[in-house]
Structures are given as structure tokens and as C-alpha cells.
Amino acid sequence: DGGITQSPKYLFRKEGQNVTLSCEQNLNHDAMYWYRQDPGQGLRLIYYSQIVNDFQKGDIAEGYSVSREKKESFPLTVTSAQKNPTAFYLCASSQGWTGSTEAFFGQGTRLTVV
Amino acid sequence: ILNVEQSPQSLHVQEGDSTNFTCSFPSSNFYALHWYRWETAKSPEALFVMTLNGDEKKKGRISATLNTKEGYSYLYIKGSQPEDSATYLCAPGEGSSNTGKLIFGQGTTLQVKP
């Protein structure tokens, strides 16, 4: 089945640790995105990539880093610089940019700092 | 950044009722409007992508309209069924279709009682 796979589903991190969230897609999509969801808020864009080896900061990139070495993969690292990392993280992809094309989403990773 | 408002925040209806939600956004600097359905424990799935003023789209019992001049979109569900229970997200695109970003509202959560 084609789709987006995020792992792990749940992740616990100690304060001061970096942690990496995985996102893999087999849809052959060029563009990939990371969003964060907090209670009562809409999805907010962290980072996005329109093509391999290129990525851009979204609206809330501070404390996060990404890489796009392969078309299929767009991992997100939550660094110790992220002040409030506990949240639900969604990865998405689209064929081309999200203008007239829909985004496809993974099932998310819930990160909790303990 | 676009300020996107969805109303109501939550809605409880009986099976068979018809219902509608609103998505409001500033009408300038806009290139597309996406609607997504997000069922609990699943990934958000695209319902509609609309780009033109006056666009009307339909998928089964669900339809949507777009008014770009006044900055709103309506989502209608005719004869709600329990399987329609989900959070419905709207996401206008800010900027251009090549470089702009989707800005998500906080969603309308629908519960359909059998």
C-alpha cells in the first residue's frame, strides 16, 4: 500500500535530549512537510522540503532540524533547544507544492518530555 | 500569516441531521482552500481542494463551497451518519501556489449520535 509511515507512534524523551522522528513515504512525492499540533490549535508548519537536498523553515522551526537526503525520507530532530517539545507531530507529503494538490498525512507521533 | 477561523468548534447531531461548518480567512493573498477529515486514531484525509471563487465540490453526502471575495468556505454534510464523526480541518493557502503555505484552522469536531 502506498502511504506515509511515521515512527514511533509514541515517544518519551528526557529533558535535554535530542530525539529524531521518522517519516517515510512511498508515494514518489517531491514535497514533504512536518506539522505540530497542540491542544486547541491548528496544525503549524515546522519545516518543509520541495525537493531532495533542500528544505525551508516553516513558522515554528526554532529548536528543530531536518534533513532530506532521500526523496522518500524526511526525518525531524527535536533538539534540546526546543522549549516546549511535548506535542503531536504529523508528517505529510504532496505531489508538487500544496497549491492545487492535496497533502497526504502519516498517523503521527506523540512526543512527551518526561 | 493568515488568521483562519473555523466555527463551530464542536458539534453534536443526531443521525440523519444535516449540518454545515464555516471556515473564514482573509480574502487577500490566497491561492487555494483545502478541506481535510481527521478521524480519531487515523491520518487526516483530503476531502476537497478548491481554487476558484464560486467553486462547489461534492463527494457523496459531503459538499463544499468557496467564496474567495469575502473569504469563507462552507462544508455541508447531508444526512449525517455515525461514520461522519471526525474533526474537519480547513486550510487556506497563503501566498502563491508555488511558494505559499497551507494555514490550518483549529478544526470543527463533529459527533453524530446513532
Side-chain angles (χ1 to χ4, degrees), chain A residues 39-78:
Chain A
Q41 295 194 38
L43 301 178
R44 291 184 292 166
L45 184 63
I46 305 172
Y47 264 99
Y48 59 98
S49 168
Q50 291 183 283
I51 198 168
V52 174
N53 292 322
D54 184 59
F55 49 83
Q56 306 293 330
K57 292 182 179 180
D59 300 316
I60 54 165
E62 185 176 350
Y64 299 98
S65 66
V66 293
S67 63
R68 186 87 187 276
E69 296 175 5
K70 297 186 298 181
K71 189 175 187 178
E72 307 80 38
S73 179
F74 192 40
L76 174 75
T77 296
V78 185

mmCIF file of all heavy atoms in Angstrom, chain A residues 39-78:
data_model
loop_
_atom_site.group_PDB
_atom_site.id
_atom_site.type_symbol
_atom_site.label_atom_id
_atom_site.label_comp_id
_atom_site.label_asym_id
_atom_site.label_seq_id
_atom_site.Cartn_x
_atom_site.Cartn_y
_atom_site.Cartn_z
ATOM 1 N N PRO A 39 -3.008 21.297 21.716
ATOM 2 C CA PRO A 39 -4.446 21.338 22.013
ATOM 3 C C PRO A 39 -5.066 22.692 21.680
ATOM 4 O O PRO A 39 -4.536 23.738 22.042
ATOM 5 C CB PRO A 39 -4.485 21.061 23.517
ATOM 6 C CG PRO A 39 -3.257 20.276 23.799
ATOM 7 C CD PRO A 39 -2.213 20.818 22.872
ATOM 8 N N GLY A 40 -6.194 22.657 20.970
ATOM 9 C CA GLY A 40 -6.922 23.880 20.667
ATOM 10 C C GLY A 40 -6.328 24.720 19.555
ATOM 11 O O GLY A 40 -6.810 25.823 19.286
ATOM 12 N N GLN A 41 -5.288 24.205 18.912
ATOM 13 C CA GLN A 41 -4.660 24.979 17.839
ATOM 14 C C GLN A 41 -4.686 24.202 16.539
ATOM 15 O O GLN A 41 -4.772 22.982 16.526
ATOM 16 C CB GLN A 41 -3.213 25.310 18.203
ATOM 17 C CG GLN A 41 -3.055 26.221 19.403
ATOM 18 C CD GLN A 41 -1.658 26.779 19.513
ATOM 19 O OE1 GLN A 41 -1.030 27.107 18.501
ATOM 20 N NE2 GLN A 41 -1.160 26.900 20.732
ATOM 21 N N GLY A 42 -4.566 24.936 15.453
ATOM 22 C CA GLY A 42 -4.437 24.280 14.156
ATOM 23 C C GLY A 42 -3.046 23.713 13.977
ATOM 24 O O GLY A 42 -2.127 24.017 14.742
ATOM 25 N N LEU A 43 -2.878 22.909 12.955
ATOM 26 C CA LEU A 43 -1.557 22.379 12.630
ATOM 27 C C LEU A 43 -0.639 23.531 12.241
ATOM 28 O O LEU A 43 -1.005 24.387 11.438
ATOM 29 C CB LEU A 43 -1.655 21.404 11.455
ATOM 30 C CG LEU A 43 -2.563 20.190 11.648
ATOM 31 C CD1 LEU A 43 -2.581 19.353 10.370
ATOM 32 C CD2 LEU A 43 -2.092 19.357 12.816
ATOM 33 N N ARG A 44 0.571 23.519 12.807
ATOM 34 C CA ARG A 44 1.533 24.584 12.496
ATOM 35 C C ARG A 44 2.742 23.968 11.796
ATOM 36 O O ARG A 44 3.258 22.934 12.206
ATOM 37 C CB ARG A 44 1.943 25.313 13.773
ATOM 38 C CG ARG A 44 0.821 26.134 14.378
ATOM 39 C CD ARG A 44 1.306 26.911 15.591
ATOM 40 N NE ARG A 44 1.645 26.050 16.713
ATOM 41 C CZ ARG A 44 2.326 26.434 17.777
ATOM 42 N NH1 ARG A 44 2.799 27.677 17.858
ATOM 43 N NH2 ARG A 44 2.566 25.588 18.764
ATOM 44 N N LEU A 45 3.210 24.650 10.759
ATOM 45 C CA LEU A 45 4.267 24.138 9.907
ATOM 46 C C LEU A 45 5.627 24.354 10.546
ATOM 47 O O LEU A 45 5.993 25.488 10.885
ATOM 48 C CB LEU A 45 4.203 24.836 8.542
ATOM 49 C CG LEU A 45 5.173 24.367 7.478
ATOM 50 C CD1 LEU A 45 4.927 22.900 7.113
ATOM 51 C CD2 LEU A 45 5.043 25.246 6.240
ATOM 52 N N ILE A 46 6.403 23.273 10.677
ATOM 53 C CA ILE A 46 7.724 23.343 11.286
ATOM 54 C C ILE A 46 8.798 23.512 10.197
ATOM 55 O O ILE A 46 9.573 24.461 10.210
ATOM 56 C CB ILE A 46 8.030 22.081 12.117
ATOM 57 C CG1 ILE A 46 6.950 21.834 13.165
ATOM 58 C CG2 ILE A 46 9.406 22.199 12.783
ATOM 59 C CD1 ILE A 46 7.091 20.500 13.887
ATOM 60 N N TYR A 47 8.845 22.553 9.295
ATOM 61 C CA TYR A 47 9.797 22.564 8.187
ATOM 62 C C TYR A 47 9.117 21.958 6.965
ATOM 63 O O TYR A 47 8.179 21.175 7.093
ATOM 64 C CB TYR A 47 11.041 21.719 8.522
ATOM 65 C CG TYR A 47 12.221 22.480 9.069
ATOM 66 C CD1 TYR A 47 12.458 22.498 10.442
ATOM 67 C CD2 TYR A 47 13.106 23.147 8.236
ATOM 68 C CE1 TYR A 47 13.540 23.178 10.974
ATOM 69 C CE2 TYR A 47 14.194 23.834 8.761
ATOM 70 C CZ TYR A 47 14.406 23.846 10.130
ATOM 71 O OH TYR A 47 15.489 24.516 10.649
ATOM 72 N N TYR A 48 9.618 22.315 5.786
ATOM 73 C CA TYR A 48 9.127 21.680 4.589
ATOM 74 C C TYR A 48 10.267 21.532 3.584
ATOM 75 O O TYR A 48 11.275 22.240 3.651
ATOM 76 C CB TYR A 48 7.953 22.441 3.975
ATOM 77 C CG TYR A 48 8.234 23.871 3.584
ATOM 78 C CD1 TYR A 48 8.547 24.206 2.271
ATOM 79 C CD2 TYR A 48 8.138 24.903 4.521
ATOM 80 C CE1 TYR A 48 8.778 25.521 1.899
ATOM 81 C CE2 TYR A 48 8.370 26.213 4.160
ATOM 82 C CZ TYR A 48 8.685 26.528 2.854
ATOM 83 O OH TYR A 48 8.907 27.832 2.501
ATOM 84 N N SER A 49 10.067 20.610 2.662
ATOM 85 C CA SER A 49 11.068 20.344 1.644
ATOM 86 C C SER A 49 10.348 20.153 0.315
ATOM 87 O O SER A 49 9.432 19.342 0.215
ATOM 88 C CB SER A 49 11.853 19.079 2.004
ATOM 89 O OG SER A 49 12.631 18.648 0.915
ATOM 90 N N GLN A 50 10.767 20.886 -0.684
ATOM 91 C CA GLN A 50 10.136 20.753 -2.001
ATOM 92 C C GLN A 50 10.890 19.784 -2.900
ATOM 93 O O GLN A 50 10.358 19.341 -3.916
ATOM 94 C CB GLN A 50 10.043 22.119 -2.677
ATOM 95 C CG GLN A 50 9.053 23.063 -2.003
ATOM 96 C CD GLN A 50 8.920 24.389 -2.723
ATOM 97 O OE1 GLN A 50 9.782 25.246 -2.606
ATOM 98 N NE2 GLN A 50 7.856 24.563 -3.465
ATOM 99 N N ILE A 51 12.133 19.482 -2.519
ATOM 100 C CA ILE A 51 12.945 18.612 -3.361
ATOM 101 C C ILE A 51 14.071 18.042 -2.511
ATOM 102 O O ILE A 51 14.431 18.615 -1.468
ATOM 103 C CB ILE A 51 13.482 19.398 -4.575
ATOM 104 C CG1 ILE A 51 13.944 18.456 -5.661
ATOM 105 C CG2 ILE A 51 14.557 20.369 -4.156
ATOM 106 C CD1 ILE A 51 14.202 19.158 -6.990
ATOM 107 N N VAL A 52 14.636 16.959 -2.962
ATOM 108 C CA VAL A 52 15.740 16.322 -2.238
ATOM 109 C C VAL A 52 16.879 17.323 -2.049
ATOM 110 O O VAL A 52 17.155 18.143 -2.919
ATOM 111 C CB VAL A 52 16.226 15.076 -3.005
ATOM 112 C CG1 VAL A 52 17.465 14.485 -2.335
ATOM 113 C CG2 VAL A 52 15.141 14.043 -3.076
ATOM 114 N N ASN A 53 17.512 17.249 -0.875
ATOM 115 C CA ASN A 53 18.655 18.090 -0.511
ATOM 116 C C ASN A 53 18.312 19.563 -0.366
ATOM 117 O O ASN A 53 19.213 20.418 -0.377
ATOM 118 C CB ASN A 53 19.815 17.932 -1.509
ATOM 119 C CG ASN A 53 20.438 16.548 -1.444
ATOM 120 O OD1 ASN A 53 20.567 15.977 -0.355
ATOM 121 N ND2 ASN A 53 20.791 15.996 -2.588
ATOM 122 N N ASP A 54 17.045 19.853 -0.220
ATOM 123 C CA ASP A 54 16.619 21.237 0.012
ATOM 124 C C ASP A 54 15.467 21.250 0.994
ATOM 125 O O ASP A 54 14.548 20.424 0.900
ATOM 126 C CB ASP A 54 16.185 21.895 -1.295
ATOM 127 C CG ASP A 54 15.843 23.358 -1.085
ATOM 128 O OD1 ASP A 54 16.725 24.118 -0.624
ATOM 129 O OD2 ASP A 54 14.689 23.744 -1.351
ATOM 130 N N PHE A 55 15.503 22.176 1.946
ATOM 131 C CA PHE A 55 14.404 22.314 2.886
ATOM 132 C C PHE A 55 14.362 23.748 3.392
ATOM 133 O O PHE A 55 15.350 24.478 3.321
ATOM 134 C CB PHE A 55 14.508 21.322 4.049
ATOM 135 C CG PHE A 55 15.856 21.284 4.723
ATOM 136 C CD1 PHE A 55 16.192 22.199 5.699
ATOM 137 C CD2 PHE A 55 16.770 20.291 4.388
ATOM 138 C CE1 PHE A 55 17.428 22.153 6.317
ATOM 139 C CE2 PHE A 55 18.008 20.232 5.009
ATOM 140 C CZ PHE A 55 18.341 21.177 5.975
ATOM 141 N N GLN A 56 13.185 24.132 3.881
ATOM 142 C CA GLN A 56 12.966 25.503 4.328
ATOM 143 C C GLN A 56 12.312 25.507 5.699
ATOM 144 O O GLN A 56 11.546 24.608 6.032
ATOM 145 C CB GLN A 56 12.052 26.249 3.349
ATOM 146 C CG GLN A 56 12.509 26.240 1.908
ATOM 147 C CD GLN A 56 13.784 27.011 1.696
ATOM 148 O OE1 GLN A 56 14.056 27.976 2.423
ATOM 149 N NE2 GLN A 56 14.591 26.600 0.738
ATOM 150 N N LYS A 57 12.570 26.552 6.450
ATOM 151 C CA LYS A 57 11.921 26.710 7.743
ATOM 152 C C LYS A 57 10.452 27.088 7.544
ATOM 153 O O LYS A 57 10.119 27.876 6.661
ATOM 154 C CB LYS A 57 12.609 27.802 8.556
ATOM 155 C CG LYS A 57 14.010 27.434 9.002
ATOM 156 C CD LYS A 57 14.606 28.555 9.842
ATOM 157 C CE LYS A 57 16.003 28.182 10.306
ATOM 158 N NZ LYS A 57 16.613 29.260 11.128
ATOM 159 N N GLY A 58 9.616 26.523 8.399
ATOM 160 C CA GLY A 58 8.229 26.923 8.444
ATOM 161 C C GLY A 58 8.033 28.015 9.480
ATOM 162 O O GLY A 58 8.936 28.816 9.749
ATOM 163 N N ASP A 59 6.872 28.023 10.094
ATOM 164 C CA ASP A 59 6.528 29.100 11.016
ATOM 165 C C ASP A 59 7.103 28.925 12.413
ATOM 166 O O ASP A 59 7.228 29.883 13.164
ATOM 167 C CB ASP A 59 5.000 29.217 11.105
ATOM 168 C CG ASP A 59 4.380 29.525 9.762
ATOM 169 O OD1 ASP A 59 4.928 30.396 9.050
ATOM 170 O OD2 ASP A 59 3.365 28.899 9.406
ATOM 171 N N ILE A 60 7.438 27.681 12.778
ATOM 172 C CA ILE A 60 7.894 27.425 14.154
ATOM 173 C C ILE A 60 9.113 26.514 14.147
ATOM 174 O O ILE A 60 9.166 25.516 14.834
ATOM 175 C CB ILE A 60 6.757 26.811 15.014
ATOM 176 C CG1 ILE A 60 6.185 25.550 14.344
ATOM 177 C CG2 ILE A 60 5.658 27.818 15.252
ATOM 178 C CD1 ILE A 60 5.332 24.720 15.291
ATOM 179 N N ALA A 61 10.154 26.868 13.378
ATOM 180 C CA ALA A 61 11.311 25.986 13.181
ATOM 181 C C ALA A 61 12.308 25.979 14.332
ATOM 182 O O ALA A 61 13.146 25.071 14.420
ATOM 183 C CB ALA A 61 12.025 26.378 11.894
ATOM 184 N N GLU A 62 12.246 26.941 15.214
ATOM 185 C CA GLU A 62 13.252 27.041 16.277
ATOM 186 C C GLU A 62 13.241 25.804 17.158
ATOM 187 O O GLU A 62 12.204 25.384 17.666
ATOM 188 C CB GLU A 62 13.001 28.286 17.125
ATOM 189 C CG GLU A 62 14.085 28.519 18.162
ATOM 190 C CD GLU A 62 13.894 29.806 18.937
ATOM 191 O OE1 GLU A 62 13.037 30.618 18.548
ATOM 192 O OE2 GLU A 62 14.608 30.001 19.946
ATOM 193 N N GLY A 63 14.433 25.214 17.344
ATOM 194 C CA GLY A 63 14.550 24.027 18.183
ATOM 195 C C GLY A 63 14.362 22.724 17.428
ATOM 196 O O GLY A 63 14.393 21.654 18.040
ATOM 197 N N TYR A 64 14.185 22.821 16.115
ATOM 198 C CA TYR A 64 14.010 21.638 15.273
ATOM 199 C C TYR A 64 15.057 21.632 14.163
ATOM 200 O O TYR A 64 15.545 22.685 13.762
ATOM 201 C CB TYR A 64 12.626 21.611 14.625
ATOM 202 C CG TYR A 64 11.464 21.566 15.591
ATOM 203 C CD1 TYR A 64 10.781 22.740 15.927
ATOM 204 C CD2 TYR A 64 11.037 20.365 16.146
ATOM 205 C CE1 TYR A 64 9.712 22.708 16.799
ATOM 206 C CE2 TYR A 64 9.960 20.329 17.015
ATOM 207 C CZ TYR A 64 9.302 21.506 17.343
ATOM 208 O OH TYR A 64 8.247 21.481 18.209
ATOM 209 N N SER A 65 15.365 20.448 13.644
ATOM 210 C CA SER A 65 16.196 20.344 12.454
ATOM 211 C C SER A 65 15.696 19.189 11.611
ATOM 212 O O SER A 65 15.038 18.267 12.111
ATOM 213 C CB SER A 65 17.676 20.146 12.811
ATOM 214 O OG SER A 65 17.871 18.893 13.440
ATOM 215 N N VAL A 66 15.983 19.249 10.302
ATOM 216 C CA VAL A 66 15.546 18.202 9.370
ATOM 217 C C VAL A 66 16.671 17.909 8.388
ATOM 218 O O VAL A 66 17.648 18.648 8.293
ATOM 219 C CB VAL A 66 14.288 18.618 8.582
ATOM 220 C CG1 VAL A 66 13.076 18.750 9.489
ATOM 221 C CG2 VAL A 66 14.530 19.904 7.800
ATOM 222 N N SER A 67 16.486 16.832 7.648
ATOM 223 C CA SER A 67 17.346 16.517 6.518
ATOM 224 C C SER A 67 16.477 15.905 5.431
ATOM 225 O O SER A 67 15.410 15.359 5.711
ATOM 226 C CB SER A 67 18.469 15.552 6.915
ATOM 227 O OG SER A 67 17.917 14.314 7.338
ATOM 228 N N ARG A 68 16.949 16.010 4.178
ATOM 229 C CA ARG A 68 16.213 15.390 3.077
ATOM 230 C C ARG A 68 17.249 14.820 2.104
ATOM 231 O O ARG A 68 17.490 15.329 1.023
ATOM 232 C CB ARG A 68 15.328 16.426 2.357
ATOM 233 C CG ARG A 68 14.433 15.786 1.299
ATOM 234 C CD ARG A 68 13.149 15.283 1.825
ATOM 235 N NE ARG A 68 12.367 14.545 0.874
ATOM 236 C CZ ARG A 68 11.534 15.100 -0.021
ATOM 237 N NH1 ARG A 68 11.421 16.419 -0.108
ATOM 238 N NH2 ARG A 68 10.824 14.332 -0.807
ATOM 239 N N GLU A 69 17.864 13.734 2.525
ATOM 240 C CA GLU A 69 18.904 13.096 1.723
ATOM 241 C C GLU A 69 18.321 12.147 0.689
ATOM 242 O O GLU A 69 18.970 11.838 -0.324
ATOM 243 C CB GLU A 69 19.879 12.367 2.640
ATOM 244 C CG GLU A 69 20.642 13.297 3.575
ATOM 245 C CD GLU A 69 21.514 12.544 4.560
ATOM 246 O OE1 GLU A 69 21.594 11.300 4.450
ATOM 247 O OE2 GLU A 69 22.114 13.187 5.433
ATOM 248 N N LYS A 70 17.121 11.676 0.949
ATOM 249 C CA LYS A 70 16.443 10.796 0.013
ATOM 250 C C LYS A 70 15.037 11.321 -0.223
ATOM 251 O O LYS A 70 14.414 11.910 0.673
ATOM 252 C CB LYS A 70 16.362 9.367 0.564
ATOM 253 C CG LYS A 70 17.686 8.683 0.778
ATOM 254 C CD LYS A 70 17.495 7.225 1.191
ATOM 255 C CE LYS A 70 16.747 7.105 2.496
ATOM 256 N NZ LYS A 70 16.585 5.682 2.911
ATOM 257 N N LYS A 71 14.494 11.047 -1.376
ATOM 258 C CA LYS A 71 13.152 11.520 -1.706
ATOM 259 C C LYS A 71 12.114 10.951 -0.745
ATOM 260 O O LYS A 71 11.142 11.600 -0.399
ATOM 261 C CB LYS A 71 12.806 11.118 -3.138
ATOM 262 C CG LYS A 71 11.538 11.736 -3.687
ATOM 263 C CD LYS A 71 11.356 11.360 -5.150
ATOM 264 C CE LYS A 71 10.188 12.114 -5.757
ATOM 265 N NZ LYS A 71 10.030 11.789 -7.205
ATOM 266 N N GLU A 72 12.354 9.708 -0.306
ATOM 267 C CA GLU A 72 11.355 9.006 0.487
ATOM 268 C C GLU A 72 11.358 9.403 1.953
ATOM 269 O O GLU A 72 10.422 9.085 2.672
ATOM 270 C CB GLU A 72 11.602 7.495 0.427
ATOM 271 C CG GLU A 72 11.704 6.918 -0.968
ATOM 272 C CD GLU A 72 13.069 7.137 -1.597
ATOM 273 O OE1 GLU A 72 14.085 7.051 -0.864
ATOM 274 O OE2 GLU A 72 13.116 7.401 -2.791
ATOM 275 N N SER A 73 12.400 10.063 2.412
ATOM 276 C CA SER A 73 12.595 10.202 3.848
ATOM 277 C C SER A 73 12.787 11.655 4.261
ATOM 278 O O SER A 73 13.539 12.397 3.612
ATOM 279 C CB SER A 73 13.816 9.364 4.256
ATOM 280 O OG SER A 73 14.068 9.481 5.631
ATOM 281 N N PHE A 74 12.149 12.038 5.376
ATOM 282 C CA PHE A 74 12.245 13.418 5.853
ATOM 283 C C PHE A 74 12.217 13.389 7.386
ATOM 284 O O PHE A 74 11.225 13.750 8.008
ATOM 285 C CB PHE A 74 11.077 14.232 5.294
ATOM 286 C CG PHE A 74 11.194 15.726 5.477
ATOM 287 C CD1 PHE A 74 12.399 16.388 5.314
ATOM 288 C CD2 PHE A 74 10.059 16.478 5.774
ATOM 289 C CE1 PHE A 74 12.486 17.770 5.454
ATOM 290 C CE2 PHE A 74 10.134 17.863 5.910
ATOM 291 C CZ PHE A 74 11.353 18.506 5.754
ATOM 292 N N PRO A 75 13.303 12.974 8.022
ATOM 293 C CA PRO A 75 13.303 12.880 9.490
ATOM 294 C C PRO A 75 13.364 14.241 10.172
ATOM 295 O O PRO A 75 14.002 15.172 9.660
ATOM 296 C CB PRO A 75 14.574 12.063 9.778
ATOM 297 C CG PRO A 75 15.451 12.302 8.596
ATOM 298 C CD PRO A 75 14.545 12.488 7.421
ATOM 299 N N LEU A 76 12.724 14.327 11.296
ATOM 300 C CA LEU A 76 12.678 15.553 12.102
ATOM 301 C C LEU A 76 13.390 15.301 13.424
ATOM 302 O O LEU A 76 13.043 14.346 14.128
ATOM 303 C CB LEU A 76 11.231 15.960 12.381
ATOM 304 C CG LEU A 76 11.024 17.147 13.339
ATOM 305 C CD1 LEU A 76 11.370 18.451 12.630
ATOM 306 C CD2 LEU A 76 9.570 17.183 13.839
ATOM 307 N N THR A 77 14.370 16.141 13.745
ATOM 308 C CA THR A 77 15.035 16.048 15.038
ATOM 309 C C THR A 77 14.533 17.169 15.939
ATOM 310 O O THR A 77 14.573 18.340 15.554
ATOM 311 C CB THR A 77 16.560 16.124 14.891
ATOM 312 O OG1 THR A 77 17.005 14.982 14.140
ATOM 313 C CG2 THR A 77 17.250 16.109 16.252
ATOM 314 N N VAL A 78 14.064 16.778 17.098
ATOM 315 C CA VAL A 78 13.652 17.736 18.117
ATOM 316 C C VAL A 78 14.842 17.903 19.053
ATOM 317 O O VAL A 78 15.252 16.955 19.724
ATOM 318 C CB VAL A 78 12.418 17.238 18.887
ATOM 319 C CG1 VAL A 78 11.929 18.301 19.857
ATOM 320 C CG2 VAL A 78 11.304 16.851 17.919
#
